[in-house]
Amino acid sequence: MKEQELNISNAEMVIMRVIWSLNGAKVEEVMRQISKRQNWSLATVKTLMGRLVKKKVLTTEKEGRAFVYRAAMSECDAIRQMTGELLVKICATKESEFLSDAIELAKLKQSDIDNLIKQLQEKVATETVSCDCLDDNNCSCVHNQIINK
């Protein structure tokens, strides 16, 4: 899949998580997995999967009389791309706050924490982070102000 904005809705992400977890699935398999958490009709699931095919996030392969749907990119690649897309949507001065909030909300094993510490220790810091809300860098928005939690 070429690098374009993923633009996956929350409902479509439910489908994608099943596809990634099963490494591909038929519509009925997806329906069986999500019916435990979602009250969606088979038609809704088919519609969502069709949208994902049109967006080129899913591919189809005929297997007998049914189609098997597979992800066009790995879950890790999709998460990396969505993270990058989110970072360009927020003020550069708020990126560290975003990361801090994500860490606070995440369920982390000790090995995850150790990996994050290692990544931070290896990260090369920039001298300054400027607000990028306006093209002329003449921003006086509240994003520029340091707000302590």
Side-chain angles (χ1 to χ4, degrees):
M1 177 173 187
K2 72 179 191 178
E3 193 80 13
Q4 64 183 22
E5 190 167 329
L6 285 179
N7 197 22
I8 299 174
S9 70
N10 292 341
E12 291 166 343
M13 275 302 291
V14 170
I15 303 291
M16 290 305 299
R17 289 181 63 195
V18 172
I19 297 292
W20 282 316
S21 296
L22 297 177
N23 199 25
K26 297 175 184 173
V27 174
E28 293 77 16
E29 293 170 315
V30 172
M31 184 69 188
R32 189 170 39 255
Q33 290 298 318
I34 64 168
S35 66
K36 299 166 190 165
R37 289 173 266 133
Q38 305 291 334
N39 190 23
W40 294 345
S41 69
L42 184 61
T44 299
V45 173
K46 286 180 179 180
T47 298
L48 291 168
M49 292 176 80
R51 288 179 188 165
L52 289 163
V53 169
K54 284 182 184 174
K55 293 179 181 184
K56 299 184 179 175
V57 179
L58 286 181
T59 62
T60 59
E61 180 181 315
K62 188 132 180 153
E63 194 175 278
R65 297 180 68 195
F67 285 96
V68 175
Y69 293 80
R70 299 196 192 288
M73 67 185 337
S74 73
E75 184 175 14
C76 290
D77 287 344
I79 290 167
R80 185 172 290 113
Q81 185 172 338
M82 288 184 288
T83 301
E85 290 169 6
L86 179 58
L87 284 175
V88 299
K89 292 177 183 177
I90 63 174
C91 179
T93 64
K94 294 297 178 191
E95 289 177 2
S96 65
E97 187 176 329
F98 161 76
L99 293 172
S100 178
D101 289 344
I103 290 169
E104 185 177 322
L105 294 170
K107 295 175 184 81
L108 301 171
K109 300 177 302 210
Q110 186 60 50
S111 60
D112 298 327
I113 293 169
D114 294 342
N115 184 46
L116 288 167
I117 290 169
K118 183 180 179 211
Q119 283 184 300
L120 283 171
Q121 289 170 336
E122 294 173 356
K123 180 73 176 167
V124 177
T126 58
E127 276 192 44
T128 62
V129 177
S130 300
C131 176
D132 58 357
C133 294
L134 301 175
D135 290 337
D136 61 6
N137 255 353
N138 191 18
C139 184
S140 62
C141 68
V142 295
H143 300 297
N144 266 336
Q145 300 169 10
I146 298 174
I147 301 171
N148 295 321
K149 286 185 177 183

